[in-house]
Amino acid sequence: MDFLKGLNPQQQQAVLATNGPVLVMAGPGSGKTRVLTQRVAYLIGALGVRPYSILAVTFTNKAAREMEGRIYRLLGEKEARGLTLGTFHATCARILRREARHLPFDANFVIYDTEDQLDVLRQALADLNLDDKRYRPQAVHAVISYAKNELLVPDNFPVRDYRDEVIERIYRRYQELLLASNALDFDDLLLYTVYLLEQVPEAQERYSRLFEHILVDEFQDTNQAQYVLVRHLSSFHRNLFVVGDIDQSIYRWRGADYRNVLRFEQDFPDAQIILLEQNYRSTQAILDVAMAVIEPHPYRTTKQLFTERGAGERVSVVEARDDTHEAQWVVETIAQMLKEKKVRGSDVAIMYRTNAQSRLLEEAFLQRGMRYRLVGAQRFYGRREVKDLIAYLRVIHNPSDEVSLLRILNTPPRGIGNKTVLALRAFAQQQKLSSGQALLAIAAEPESAISEVFPQRAVIAVARFGDLLTSWRAQLTQSTPLQLLDRVMSDIDYRAYLDDGTPEGQERWENVMELRRLAAEFSEPGLDAFLERVALVSDQDTLAEGNDAPTLLTLHAAKGLEFGVVFIVGLNEGSLPHARSLEDKESLYEERRLFYVGITRAKDRLFLVYSQLRSAYGYAEPQAPSRFLEDIPPTLVEFHTLSRDRLGVSGREIGVTINKVFPPTTAPILEKRFSPGNRVRHPIWGEGMVLNSDLKDNDEIVDVFFESVGLKRVSVSIGKLEIIA
């Protein structure tokens, strides 16, 4: 059997690599899965390595199944039987069950999922008499998970302040409760396996001798525990074959550490390093832009990506006047492509940094009557936090809305459990009222509700919420939808309930900010019109999905996928790179890698889209183009500014004018006006202090810390900054 069939010279070198450590730097679309599977087949079929002596580790069950299927097709299932192939966690679970006699749990341990883990954490907080509002279970869980991935147990958990000391106690109690239940969490699977290999020498010797060859996929996404694990398992034979690419490490928030690639080179100085540079996915025009974007990233091995697919069409950089205009233009461009049968719907993708950015795109598709597919998240109006707040506004508008009332009665928790809800409904029926009307009646006269079916304690909880509803309804005629929404969120402390300090909590809060932005558009029409708009979009939402439809997804969700045509939207400072990353060097590096991953998903056409204005806090704010666009030489792209008079409200016409400079805004600014320390005033954000100023692309870009909104990057040519001191 020819195990090198269809492989280019670099891929063949990787498959045939001799014994010892091997690091394969695999560029995007370079066929790394083929290399991994054909190397396994070569080891077994050509070199006679026994399948049970090979360990191949992936990050997802889907990737493991795909590799297994390819290996079976190459060798036959019988020849490959016995191969250990699976995820890190599955591999560790098998080892721990075999070696449980050395560990503080039994072999029949259970593995708790995320919800189970949070329940245990809540019990730990209760045992320690700690407030779960001050020490949010999700946030504490994130800290403990990070500690375990860094191989930090309670005894060596770093304590720098009082909060750390409390979390260390929670962590210790959490572990005690897990072991009492003979249970492990996902991170324990890694932690205890490393513990086993380090504390039980005969176990390390047994497994390091057993696995003659170890192969690891997506090595740039390993965390500290996973790196130490494979280092121990490969300590006897030293045949560690890892495939990865620092440029595609985008999961730092999950604990992934691209520096493991650098550690590998340091720990295995004799390692062969093989570059996979031939790309089978994209045109050269797209690859050239990708290389320009990633080149400034430090700590990487330079790869010269090339393809035999030809130059292809130049990448388009498109400037819209605002983000609504941006979304309309993208949808209209796709509609034109579909009409001209240039592409199929399923071959088109729109990518963005955060889930909240899907809202304008979803609405543009719905207004155009086009199908679309949303990947990796619920549709905007189906997200829990959005539905919660809309339910509050619906009940304020119409207290008889039973469905919405039941959704919010105990959200956030306020002591109105199922028994109290049943009592409320019973009281409402008795009084011939809706549940919402009964709630208002109880708030007005709590004594009237005390009966055998409505205990005193339940009356107090319901009356308190009824008081809130009464006060909100009193503001109906005097408040805009945005003011009412803000009042509700303040009264129920919704941000504290929603944003637990984790990346997921922050993303949920960004969705709330997007809903605020929509509410701000209805100051004149009012709450009726706002709720009607939401209801109509939500109803259409369920009808708009189809398989052969353009795909909407975040850049994180795009990893591993490819599309003929890709639009990356929202390429402004604060969006990509995200505002949360601006003050952290490592986060900025990851934002650059994320952009690179998005670019390299495109096969034939790529559009990079930004806008002059982006809406936030109810205002359209000037926003500078993403700093990453500045790294692309003008010779590699075509710049377009959307004509203001060609894309109206109907959104049926598309027009662009090509510009030879970037950004095409105003006359060039050749001297700095602002210096660090200047006090400045902005018409929307108020007063702030200049932290930095740079001249870039004939404009002055100023970083300002505003008392009202924090750090903002302002383009002087379009932002109205006034020096006051």
Side-chain angles (χ1 to χ4, degrees):
M1 179 180 294
D2 184 1
F3 295 103
L4 303 180
K5 184 178 180 181
L7 300 182
N8 65 45
Q10 291 172 310
Q11 292 172 328
Q12 291 181 24
Q13 183 186 359
V15 169
L16 298 174
T18 55
N19 289 348
V22 179
L23 171 59
V24 179
M25 297 282 204
S30 61
K32 67 178 179 63
T33 303
R34 170 180 279 191
V35 166
L36 281 164
T37 53
Q38 294 196 211
R39 178 169 174 82
V40 171
Y42 173 75
L43 290 173
I44 298 171
L47 300 187
V49 177
R50 295 162 298 184
Y52 62 78
S53 297
I54 299 174
L55 168 63
V57 186
T58 67
F59 268 84
T60 66
N61 290 314
K62 178 183 176 184
R65 287 193 298 269
E66 181 183 349
M67 281 185 62
E68 184 179 63
R70 290 193 188 192
I71 293 167
Y72 285 171
R73 286 193 292 275
L74 285 168
L75 292 175
E77 186 172 347
K78 183 179 179 181
E79 292 297 317
R81 188 173 299 146
L83 172 70
T84 302
L85 171 60
T87 65
F88 273 101
H89 293 93
T91 302
C92 288
R94 287 195 291 270
I95 292 174
L96 293 177
R97 293 194 193 281
R98 293 187 198 124
E99 305 296 332
R101 65 187 181 280
H102 299 297
L103 298 162
F105 45 80
D106 297 333
N108 64 341
F109 63 82
V110 294
I111 302 171
Y112 278 175
D113 64 19
T114 302
E115 282 306 310
D116 296 329
Q117 295 164 35
L118 291 175
D119 287 342
V120 175
L121 266 175
R122 292 185 186 100
Q123 182 61 53
L125 289 166
D127 291 350
L128 297 171
N129 294 316
L130 293 169
D131 184 358
D132 63 1
K133 291 186 174 62
R134 185 172 180 184
Y135 298 96
R136 305 281 296 181
Q138 292 90 340
V140 174
H141 180 267
V143 174
I144 292 174
S145 178
Y146 176 81
K148 290 183 177 184
N149 288 335
E150 291 293 310
L151 300 175
L152 298 171
V153 296
D155 285 342
N156 63 3
F157 183 83
V159 175
R160 294 152 297 192
D161 52 32
Y162 175 71
R163 184 175 180 83
D164 287 345
E165 188 271 328
V166 174
I167 290 178
E168 183 270 331
R169 286 195 282 127
I170 299 170
Y171 183 5
R172 191 177 299 278
R173 182 59 182 152
Y174 171 71
Q175 289 302 104
E176 291 169 353
L177 291 170
L178 284 175
L179 292 177
S181 299
N182 196 37
L184 304 182
D185 64 21
F186 297 123
D187 301 311
D188 282 332
L189 296 172
L190 302 173
L191 182 68
Y192 279 114
T193 306
V194 172
Y195 171 86
L196 171 76
L197 298 176
E198 291 183 342
Q199 301 300 318
V200 184
E202 61 268 29
Q204 176 170 340
E205 183 175 1
R206 182 164 57 256
Y207 285 100
S208 64
R209 282 179 176 272
L210 170 63
F211 295 125
E212 185 177 342
H213 288 271
I214 298 175
L215 301 90
V216 183
D217 191 14
E218 302 287 7
F219 189 65
Q220 77 281 348
D221 291 332
T222 54
N223 58 36
Q224 176 71 359
Q226 290 161 335
Y227 177 73
V228 173
L229 175 67
V230 295
R231 197 180 63 197
H232 285 320
L233 290 174
S234 62
S235 59
F236 185 82
H237 296 287
R238 297 187 76 251
N239 295 329
L240 180 56
F241 184 96
V242 302
V243 180
D245 183 9
I246 285 177
D247 299 342
Q248 298 180 75
S249 179
I250 60 172
Y251 299 118
R252 180 170 172 249
W253 48 280
R254 290 184 189 168
D257 190 348
Y258 70 87
R259 289 170 297 188
N260 284 342
V261 176
L262 307 178
R263 292 186 182 108
F264 182 92
E265 295 182 75
Q266 293 167 359
D267 292 345
F268 300 94
D270 58 330
Q272 295 183 67
I273 299 178
I274 300 168
L275 305 183
L276 299 187
E277 298 173 298
Q278 182 170 351
N279 179 285
Y280 293 90
R281 177 187 300 148
S282 306
T283 63
Q284 193 63 50
I286 292 169
L287 295 179
D288 289 344
V289 167
M291 287 187 285
V293 166
I294 202 63
E295 181 60 33
H297 191 302
Y299 317 123
R300 58 182 297 270
T301 299
T302 300
K303 294 181 292 298
Q304 190 61 40
L305 303 180
F306 68 94
T307 183
E308 295 180 353
R309 294 199 58 221
E313 294 191 54
R314 294 173 81 190
V315 172
S316 295
V317 176
V318 181
E319 179 191 75
R321 62 176 178 268
D322 57 40
D323 38 7
T324 300
H325 185 222
E326 176 182 273
Q328 291 176 339
W329 178 82
V330 168
V331 172
E332 286 303 320
T333 302
I334 293 171
Q336 191 68 28
M337 289 179 173
L338 296 177
K339 181 179 178 182
E340 295 172 2
K341 300 189 183 305
K342 292 182 177 179
V343 293
R344 294 184 59 191
S346 58
D347 208 26
V348 180
I350 309 172
M351 301 175 187
Y352 35 80
R353 175 61 178 82
T354 65
N355 281 313
Q357 291 172 273
S358 75
R359 200 265 298 179
L360 289 174
L361 291 160
E362 291 183 66
E363 292 190 2
F365 272 106
L366 293 169
Q367 289 167 7
R368 189 66 170 79
M370 290 173 61
R371 297 181 300 170
Y372 66 95
R373 188 167 62 101
L374 191 66
V375 171
Q378 287 181 298
R379 296 180 180 279
F380 180 79
Y381 293 102
R383 292 165 190 158
R384 185 194 85 192
E385 56 276 9
V386 174
K387 290 175 73 70
D388 284 351
L389 292 173
I390 290 172
Y392 269 99
L393 295 180
R394 282 176 171 161
V395 171
I396 294 168
H397 181 257
N398 172 22
S400 296
D401 183 342
E402 191 84 2
V403 171
S404 296
L405 180 66
L406 290 176
R407 182 179 187 90
I408 66 172
L409 266 174
N410 204 40
T411 303
R414 54 175 63 89
I416 303 179
N418 290 335
K419 289 183 180 178
T420 305
V421 171
L422 291 174
L424 173 64
R425 299 182 81 173
F427 175 80
Q429 290 174 359
Q430 187 183 81
Q431 301 295 318
K432 297 184 179 179
L433 300 170
S434 69
S435 296
Q437 292 167 335
L439 191 71
L440 295 171
I442 293 169
E445 296 183 57
E447 299 80 9
S448 67
I450 298 175
S451 69
E452 292 181 3
V453 295
F454 218 128
Q456 174 76 38
R457 189 171 62 179
V459 171
I460 294 172
V462 169
R464 284 175 180 165
F465 185 57
D467 286 338
L468 283 175
L469 181 56
T470 301
S471 68
W472 296 331
R473 282 184 54 77
Q475 298 297 313
L476 255 177
T477 57
Q478 302 157 6
S479 302
T480 66
L482 178 58
Q483 290 168 337
L484 201 54
L485 184 61
D486 284 345
R487 168 80 185 275
V488 169
M489 289 195 294
S490 174
D491 287 349
I492 66 175
D493 201 10
Y494 194 63
R495 181 165 192 174
Y497 166 68
L498 201 65
D499 186 355
D500 52 24
T502 64
E504 293 80 6
Q506 292 167 350
E507 185 163 296
R508 288 193 292 267
W509 186 247
E510 287 175 357
N511 291 332
V512 170
M513 291 297 97
E514 182 65 20
L515 183 65
R516 285 186 77 255
R517 173 188 160 180
L518 177 62
E521 298 176 11
F522 287 81
S523 9
E524 288 302 323
L527 186 60
D528 282 358
F530 173 70
L531 292 177
E532 182 179 319
R533 162 77 170 273
V534 169
L536 289 175
V537 171
S538 298
D539 290 342
Q540 293 178 56
D541 219 9
T542 61
L543 303 175
E545 190 164 2
N547 290 329
D548 187 23
T551 301
L552 280 64
L553 72 170
T554 65
L555 289 162
H556 281 105
K559 180 79 179 288
L561 303 178
E562 59 181 35
F563 300 89
V565 180
V566 169
F567 295 81
I568 303 180
V569 301
L571 287 172
N572 289 87
E573 287 291 300
S575 298
L576 185 72
H578 195 281
R580 289 196 303 267
S581 70
L582 297 180
E583 296 182 9
D584 179 68
K585 181 174 63 176
E586 287 295 336
S587 295
L588 273 173
Y589 293 159
E590 179 150 300
E591 295 290 298
R592 181 179 293 278
R593 298 193 296 268
L594 189 59
F595 186 29
Y596 172 80
V597 166
I599 290 171
T600 55
R601 301 308 94 193
K603 295 194 290 187
D604 304 310
R605 292 296 311 275
L606 175 64
F607 297 86
L608 307 177
V609 192
Y610 70 97
S611 59
Q612 293 181 348
L613 304 171
R614 302 200 80 82
S615 296
Y617 303 101
Y619 302 98
E621 304 172 348
Q623 294 287 347
S626 169
R627 67 187 69 190
F628 302 142
L629 292 174
E630 299 170 3
D631 297 315
I632 305 173
T635 54
L636 296 183
V637 297
E638 289 184 343
F639 295 101
H640 304 271
T641 294
L642 303 184
S643 300
R644 293 174 180 270
D645 57 346
R646 295 294 301 278
L647 185 57
V649 176
S650 67
R652 289 293 188 263
E653 293 188 63
I654 306 169
V656 297
T657 55
I658 298 177
N659 295 269
K660 296 182 180 179
V661 294
F662 176 80
T665 50
T666 61
I669 296 174
L670 303 178
E671 293 183 3
K672 291 183 183 180
R673 288 177 47 209
F674 298 87
S675 302
N678 283 159
R679 295 286 301 174
V680 295
R681 181 183 291 113
H682 186 274
I684 295 172
W685 302 322
E687 294 186 7
M689 177 178 288
V690 174
L691 302 181
N692 187 51
S693 175
D694 286 310
L695 290 176
K696 292 182 180 179
D697 298 304
N698 297 321
D699 199 355
E700 184 176 7
I701 307 299
V702 184
D703 293 324
V704 183
F705 187 86
F706 292 98
E707 285 88 343
S708 60
V709 293
L711 185 66
K712 289 287 184 180
R713 173 162 286 202
V714 181
S715 168
V716 171
S717 65
I718 55 178
K720 298 178 180 179
L721 277 184
E722 172 192 359
I723 297 176
I724 57 176

